[in-house]
Amino acid sequence: MSKASKPNTAKHFATMAIQSTEPKGDETGSVANSIYPTTTFKRELDGSYNSGYIYTRHDNPNRQLLEEALATLEGGETAFAFASGMAAISTMFQALKAGDHVILPDDAYYSVQAVAKDVFKRWELSHSIVDMTDYEAVQAAIRPETAMLWLESPSNPQLKISDITALSKLAKANGAITVVDNTWCTPVLQKPLNLGADVVMYSTTKYFGGHSDCLGGALVLGEPVSEELAPVLKNIQSLGGAVPAPFDCWLMTRGIKTLYLRLKQQSENATKLAKHLSTHEKVAMVHFPGLPTHPQYDLSMKQMPEGSGAMLSVQLGKSQAETMALIGKLNLFTAATSLGGVESLIEHRKSVEGDDSLTPDDLLRISVGIEHIDDLTADWDQALDKL
Ligand SMILES: *Cc1c(COP(=O)(O)O)cnc(C)c1O
């Protein structure tokens, strides 16, 4: 845990990303950050710790730098870094108490529902699964014991947009906190705390890391929940021990330096690819919030003014077998799960999610990278020609 202590002299995200990740208190003058792989720190004879660090599960200079940068970039009060996005999600659930009820989106990162069903049900946490684009449905799902509203916007894999402002207000009026999984946007494209949410959750594995080589997660708390919630989360982080290694924190911090450039380019590429595919006769449907045909286009433009993100899904109107075969015809999109790296990936989502998945058979999810857009569209054209 760490406070966003540095004054915000930088006005723009791109500058803040560099400033917030610079070495702090390094006596060598090193411009790049050092890595502190140590697990433990020297204690003075009077029992104190000169540096304030005791043991790396509690805190470590690399983690502290990452957490401070995350809080600063999100405009939050405090941030906690974890070993994965799922560790961050589990920590958020562990902060609730037995008997609490949570409302989850019908379309969301698959393991969020799984962790609610398979792990936290045993802890007497109940949950409802709701279409978050339907305000009345969310309202109807609220119970006296509802403690948390979980949002993911755009959602995975159908790119649905939830009204973060309206739903956060609804939750607050009913004594529940709102947590937004902002993995697909990052603060470059969307700032849920400014829209009224209480907590922002990340799989930093994706865009923060940006190179598909490091797992991580984060929770960033806004005011006023931070005062009450931060000590609870700090305790779970420290006692649970699902903390990122110093080297992983170093990689994430390094990733943050180019996050703005990457996401801007990836979002621009995705917008062009979505437009291109939406006019292609062999593509039945393109799900992308930046297309005017998207059901929540106006809302997405309001919530994500800097870009519509770099994730899209397409439906081909074909069988599952034909849909999966198309992946093999693409040369520049690697068939792999995950997203947010510099390389373009593609995935048949339903067969990854399992039998109870609500994802359509003919849907392919695309994570658009930083390759040249003309190469990417040409690759799709030649693949669709063979369909
Ligand atoms: C990947 C992902 C997660 C899970 O994060 P891990 O780092 O894989 O544990 C959660 N939410 C979203 C939206 C994701 O894309």
Side-chain angles (χ1 to χ4, degrees):
M1 180 194 80
S2 39
K3 285 214 169 280
S5 52
K6 205 166 176 181
N8 251 342
T9 52
K11 285 199 180 71
H12 299 279
F13 188 95
T15 318
M16 281 162 59
I18 303 298
Q19 194 192 43
S20 65
T21 52
E22 280 168 350
K24 308 280 186 288
D26 187 312
E27 284 164 14
T28 66
S30 173
V31 170
N33 278 300
S34 310
I35 308 174
Y36 299 90
T38 187
T39 56
T40 190
F41 299 84
K42 266 188 199 159
R43 194 177 187 192
E44 303 309 309
L45 289 177
D46 65 2
S48 68
Y49 294 86
N50 265 343
S51 63
Y53 301 108
I54 300 170
Y55 185 59
T56 281
R57 178 157 46 73
H58 302 306
D59 211 353
N60 172 282
N62 290 107
R63 197 166 93 214
Q64 189 180 357
L65 184 70
L66 172 62
E67 291 177 337
E68 283 180 359
L70 288 168
T72 301
L73 296 174
E74 199 66 45
E77 270 296 292
T78 36
F80 299 92
F82 295 90
S84 71
M86 283 313 297
I89 291 170
S90 298
T91 298
M92 205 54 236
F93 275 84
Q94 286 177 63
L96 303 178
K97 57 183 195 310
D100 279 348
H101 170 249
V102 300
I103 305 180
L104 305 175
D106 60 349
D107 190 59
Y109 186 72
Y110 189 72
S111 300
V112 178
Q113 284 185 17
V115 87
K117 266 188 234 154
D118 301 341
V119 180
F120 289 100
K121 218 167 199 170
R122 276 188 270 124
W123 295 20
E124 292 175 24
L125 278 185
S126 62
H127 67 276
S128 306
I129 292 171
V130 177
D131 176 359
M132 294 296 175
T133 64
D134 183 347
Y135 183 88
E136 269 105 53
V138 181
Q139 200 166 28
I142 293 175
R143 304 177 192 167
E145 66 273 24
T146 302
M148 180 166 77
L149 175 67
W150 191 274
L151 301 179
E152 185 181 310
S153 183
S155 69
N156 182 4
Q158 301 198 38
L159 285 297
K160 293 196 213 174
I161 304 291
S162 355
D163 189 335
I164 297 172
T165 306
L167 294 172
S168 301
K169 209 181 263 177
L170 176 65
K172 190 164 282 170
N174 287 278
I177 62 164
T178 301
V179 182
V180 178
D181 182 340
N182 202 35
T183 298
W184 286 19
C185 287
T186 82
V188 174
L189 304 181
Q190 179 169 268
K191 292 269 196 68
L193 297 179
N194 293 351
L195 298 169
D198 300 294
V199 180
V200 179
M201 175 261 144
Y202 286 110
S203 166
T204 51
T205 309
K206 314 297 168 49
Y207 293 102
F208 281 94
H211 296 75
S212 307
D213 55 8
C214 184
L215 281 177
L219 295 171
V220 187
L221 313 189
E223 268 191 314
V225 294
S226 181
E227 202 180 337
E228 199 180 321
L229 197 54
V232 177
L233 296 180
K234 173 68 190 167
N235 220 15
I236 301 171
Q237 181 195 42
S238 179
L239 297 174
V243 292
F247 180 60
D248 289 1
C249 294
W250 182 85
L251 276 176
M252 286 301 169
T253 309
R254 186 182 202 256
I256 286 174
K257 292 177 187 290
T258 55
L259 174 64
Y260 183 83
L261 277 180
R262 285 186 281 105
L263 208 58
K264 278 286 189 185
Q265 187 63 54
Q266 287 174 268
S267 181
E268 191 184 312
N269 278 357
T271 305
K272 287 181 178 161
L273 183 63
K275 283 191 175 139
H276 183 78
L277 293 176
S278 69
T279 58
H280 200 290
E281 57 179 15
K282 287 196 176 164
V283 177
M285 177 78 166
V286 178
H287 302 272
F288 184 67
L291 289 178
T293 48
H294 188 282
Q296 294 106 26
Y297 175 74
D298 292 340
L299 177 60
S300 87
M301 288 292 126
K302 215 164 64 184
Q303 283 190 168
M304 306 158 66
E306 300 289 325
S308 299
M311 295 298 296
L312 61 136
S313 293
V314 296
Q315 286 182 253
L316 299 176
K318 302 270 182 196
S319 68
Q320 175 159 330
E322 286 170 294
T323 303
M324 289 179 82
L326 182 99
I327 295 177
K329 300 182 171 74
L330 289 162
N331 300 315
L332 298 176
F333 293 76
T334 303
T337 196
S338 201
L339 57 116
V342 289
E343 62 288 308
S344 292
L345 301 180
I346 188 159
E347 177 176 43
H348 183 260
R349 197 65 200 157
K350 173 140 189 172
S351 50
V352 172
E353 290 180 341
D355 291 341
D356 53 349
S357 154
L358 299 171
T359 303
D361 286 347
D362 67 336
L363 183 142
L364 295 172
R365 192 188 76 177
I366 307 166
S367 170
V368 183
I370 60 168
E371 302 91 342
H372 197 285
I373 184 59
D374 294 347
D375 289 332
L376 298 181
T377 48
D379 195 31
W380 269 90
D381 286 346
Q382 64 78 27
L384 287 167
D385 277 349
K386 296 176 192 151
L387 186 71

